[in-house]
Amino acid sequence: MADEVILLDYWPSMFGMRTRVALEEKNIKFDYREQDLFNKSPFLLEMNPVHKKIPVLIHNGKPVCESLIQVEYIDETWPGGNSFLPSDPYQRAQAKFWGDFIDKKVYGPTRLIWGAKGEEQEAGTKEFIEMLKMLESELGDKTYFGGETFGYVDIAMIGFYCWFDVLEKCGNFSIEAECPKLIAWAKRCMKRESVGKSLPNSDKITKFVPELKKKIGIE
Amino acid sequence: MADEVILLDYWPSMFGMRTRVALEEKNIKFDYREQDLFNKSPFLLEMNPVHKKIPVLIHNGKPVCESLIQVEYIDETWPGGNSFLPSDPYQRAQAKFWGDFIDKKVYGPTRLIWGAKGEEQEAGTKEFIEMLKMLESELGDKTYFGGETFGYVDIAMIGFYCWFDVLEKCGNFSIEAECPKLIAWAKRCMKRESVGKSLPNSDKITKFVPELKKKIGIE
């Protein structure tokens, strides 16, 4: 039976980008279905009734929700190519720790940088740089977070890269000045076909942010 | 080489309870070290410099942080006995989804029930019941969340059970009236030696909450 793979997604989502990159890495053809998050489709609500969020990966009719869970699912379902997670339990736990760190600690500050003003925005910027420095310290001089192989933590983080330009403009800071190794890592990742074709252009994100602020009523 | 397993924990933590239960399920002897979270030890800060939280599982000198990651680590490191996660990728993804759901949706409302008052407390109570009902619907008529085998989602949730009494008292509601199947599930779990010896008595939690409120300055 041919696999039917559908991805319910929204183009600027750094979470959706994870799943796109993971599918591309495994060379899985998928039916990308852009969602209107301001007018959610009955199909999205049916496929993710609990969180009502994208991305939703639907494999042969069965939905998998939450991007990092999707990345693991893709890795386990299509074992061809590089494994995203190492086989050693300790190394696996470390990779999962940093993926979870990105969700818990990196995402929040980004919203303050583009969505808040004044002190709140400054606090977001400070926090964001601090979190990026922790990631950079974990990366060290390695090619990818897991070493020589592009994997789980790279996939978890890379979608944020196309938001860097707009974050720098909003927060008035330079990520490269603070975290040069992290930028070099992102540029390495961008050379991969899977990443290059899954991430939108930074300019498109920069133009999108004022629209988004209007849509959610903060401008 | 004999394994050296240390657990940095705090007795009322439903997150720490997960790791205790998982270790007991695998019959792993461990050195339980109670932590003072209001005066964190240099060792805790060294072992979990990012989040500075318990539980920390230290296996042969190497720390693993975040309770659900620890549960998976324990499952992968000591494969004897029942596996906590099923082998089928889709079933695994579903189990991880519900573990993540408990962290994102169940924990927050519990804090409002014991820590807030008035409208905020009422909203927390309403939200908590709604989330428990979703869990109960996922449980259905199964013995455990994964079917016949006690596993990942059971371990993720069971620690909340010893907080139920105090939550009911604070929020003035009955969980059993709302979710009878969930209570029957919890009672089944409590009969397991691993759970019975890892969870503190409900009365101890009830006595602890007023102390906790004083400590964190909300009473």
Side-chain angles (χ1 to χ4, degrees), chain A residues 63 66 72 90 96 104, chain B residues 63 66 72 90 92 96 104:
Chain A
E66 299 294 289
E72 274 196 82
Y90 188 75
K96 286 174 202 160
K104 284 183 182 152
Chain B
E66 299 295 287
E72 274 196 81
Y90 188 76
R92 290 167 70 82
K96 286 174 202 161
K104 285 184 181 152

Side-chain angles (χ1 to χ4, degrees), chain B residues 85-98:
Chain B
L85 280 165
S87 57
D88 172 68
Y90 188 76
Q91 297 304 326
R92 290 167 70 82
Q94 292 310 102
K96 286 174 202 161
F97 174 85
W98 288 106

